[in-house]
Amino acid sequence: MDYRIEKDTLGEMKVPADKYWGAQTQRSKQNFPISVEKMPHEVIRAFAILKKSAAKANNNLGLLDKQKADAIGYAADQIVAGKLDDHFPLVVWQTGSGTQSNMNVNEVIAYVGTEWLKEQGSNVTLHPNDDVNKSQSSNDTYPAAMHIAFVLKLEDYVLPAVKTLKGTMNEKMKAFQEVVKIGRTHLQDATPLTLGQEISGWHRMLEKSEAMISESLDSVRDLAIGGTAVGTGLNAHPDFSEAVTKAIIEETGKTFRSASNKFHALTSHDDTVHVHGALKGLAADLMKIANDVRWLASGPRSGIGEITIPANEPGSSIMPGKVNPTQPEAVTMAAVQVMGNDAAIGFAASQGNFELNVFKPVIAYNFLQSCQLMADCMLSFDERCVKGLEPELEQIEKYLRDSLMLVTALNPHIGYENAAKIAKKAFADDTNLKEAAVELELLTEEEFEKYVNPKEMTYPK
């Protein structure tokens, strides 16, 4: 392999000739051969947005000439466009401040920006620290990039996915509003409801999760940039933080704020814990919905079988003809992972000492994985399962007709204890409620039919 020599304050390093990173990135690559989880591309692209915005701010404040600011902006745009992904090799398991990834971005921007300047006929070169990292520290850039990445991921991917699944649930809720079925509580028969009403509960879960994510998202709109090393803003212009934040807003079209207390912004991630809690709430709802779907679709002959879902692939390598609820299973596994991520984020946010939390990369990695999992599984579940969900009317009618819990409608007319006698006799004699009521001489057939109307039980007056 061809190499070139790059230098940092510790000396020289051999860097692959076809890569744009520098000595500090190479050191990290060699010093942390730990697992395979790379720094999320969302963080890298958020860093690029931040670096471009910082260059604009420094230029506007008279601290960086326009030529350099333009070069930094050009290189940052290449990163955001995904054209330089091969030049960010570092793993999550590195320094807890994310310093090496900050420098990876600085070095790549400096290299690409300098090459661009050469193409423009300029002899100016970009320095990764003095120019690209001007007025910044890893300690304020990494948490700022995290927040930028979180807002973009939630607003542009997670919330639209919730909206998509919610829309399909709304369609199914309306389509099946008159399909009367037996309800279940404690995995036991309960009083009737409609399939549309049952699905309306799922729809409302998504509405609530959507609202909770949107509301909690406000807490990560605060940016640490401008705090530099410990929150004091050393080596940064007093107006730098506000200027960068304004540039980020212009660049992304999203709402952000300069954090009012930079000491908090560097050392605490309570805001991320809060937002991820809403994601965990979504995971809990999706777990519930997916489990309901696979229970209701169980069978086809030895389960509940009140609904059918698409048969997407063979379900067994040994049992011919078997089809499994694979989409709900994928959703529930994703939900379990998000719940585990929430624990990891909570533990990580409680750590660090004094002026800096040094668990930032693992927080970012787990948060963004949760976002990706939730959005991906909702879109897949919607397309490959929920859209094809249909009622099995014959089975629904059979369970409804045979249920003993219809007797609940008799409580106002003959009392709870007499109604219980009817249910117990019907169960013991393996007969239906009407026959038991007449035999006990508690009701006539006409009275029973008048009082026990499953459809009317779903819309009580």
Side-chain angles (χ1 to χ4, degrees), residues 233-264:
L234 180 67
N235 292 348
H237 190 284
D239 297 329
F240 177 71
S241 179
E242 292 291 348
V244 177
T245 302
K246 180 181 177 182
I248 292 169
I249 293 169
E250 292 172 352
E251 193 69 22
T252 62
K254 306 294 185 184
T255 300
F256 292 101
R257 298 179 296 265
S258 172
S260 60
N261 187 303
K262 300 299 190 297
F263 305 103
H264 169 272

Side-chain angles (χ1 to χ4, degrees), residues 408-424:
T408 307
L410 298 176
N411 287 359
H413 306 287
I414 63 174
Y416 181 91
E417 291 187 6
N418 282 331
K421 289 178 184 177
I422 294 172
K424 289 179 180 179

Side-chain angles (χ1 to χ4, degrees), residues 4 75 102-103 115 134 249 260 288 323 339 378 412 461:
R4 69 177 188 277
N102 178 41
M103 286 308 304
E115 292 299 305
K134 181 178 284 294
I249 293 169
S260 60
K288 169 65 167 60
V323 178
M339 292 172 188
M378 280 188 289
K461 298 176 181 177

Side-chain angles (χ1 to χ4, degrees), residues 183-199:
R184 295 177 180 86
T185 60
H186 304 268
L187 289 180
Q188 305 295 310
D189 298 353
T191 55
L193 76 169
T194 72
L195 181 56
Q197 288 173 327
E198 192 164 40
I199 294 174

Side-chain angles (χ1 to χ4, degrees), residues 74-216:
Y74 168 81
D77 286 343
Q78 297 297 299
I79 295 172
V80 172
K83 296 180 179 179
L84 302 176
D85 288 353
D86 290 344
H87 303 278
F88 298 97
L90 302 187
V91 295
V92 170
W93 320 107
Q94 52 167 275
T95 178
S97 61
T99 297
Q100 280 94 35
S101 282
N102 178 41
M103 286 308 304
N104 186 186
V105 175
N106 289 336
E107 289 175 343
V108 170
I109 288 177
Y111 184 96
V112 173
T114 297
E115 292 299 305
W116 181 78
L117 287 168
K118 288 180 183 177
E119 293 172 4
Q120 310 305 308
S122 172
N123 293 323
V124 172
T125 61
L126 292 178
H127 191 282
N129 297 85
D130 295 339
D131 298 319
V132 186
N133 202 60
K134 181 178 284 294
S135 309
Q136 304 155 61
S137 162
S138 298
N139 297 351
D140 65 344
T141 57
Y142 197 96
M146 280 171 56
H147 282 203
I148 294 167
F150 295 168
V151 170
L152 292 173
K153 195 71 172 180
L154 286 166
E155 288 195 340
D156 293 346
Y157 196 44
V158 177
L159 289 174
V162 175
K163 185 177 180 180
T164 295
L165 181 57
K166 188 180 68 171
T168 301
M169 290 292 187
N170 187 53
E171 292 173 7
K172 297 294 180 180
M173 175 181 75
K174 292 176 180 177
F176 306 143
Q177 196 59 40
E178 300 303 315
V179 178
V180 181
K181 66 183 292 292
I182 200 64
R184 295 177 180 86
T185 60
H186 304 268
L187 289 180
Q188 305 295 310
D189 298 353
T191 55
L193 76 169
T194 72
L195 181 56
Q197 288 173 327
E198 192 164 40
I199 294 174
S200 78
W202 305 343
H203 178 266
R204 182 58 179 155
M205 288 180 192
L206 296 172
E207 279 189 331
K208 291 280 286 184
S209 286
E210 182 181 45
M212 288 187 287
I213 292 170
S214 295
E215 290 165 8
S216 64

Side-chain angles (χ1 to χ4, degrees), residues 8 13 15 20-31 87-90 100-108:
D8 62 10
M13 290 292 295
V15 174
Y20 299 159
W21 63 72
Q24 292 195 50
T25 302
Q26 189 65 30
R27 289 187 193 281
S28 180
K29 191 172 184 297
Q30 294 177 192
N31 288 334
H87 303 278
F88 298 97
L90 302 187
Q100 280 94 35
S101 282
N102 178 41
M103 286 308 304
N104 186 186
V105 175
N106 289 336
E107 289 175 343
V108 170

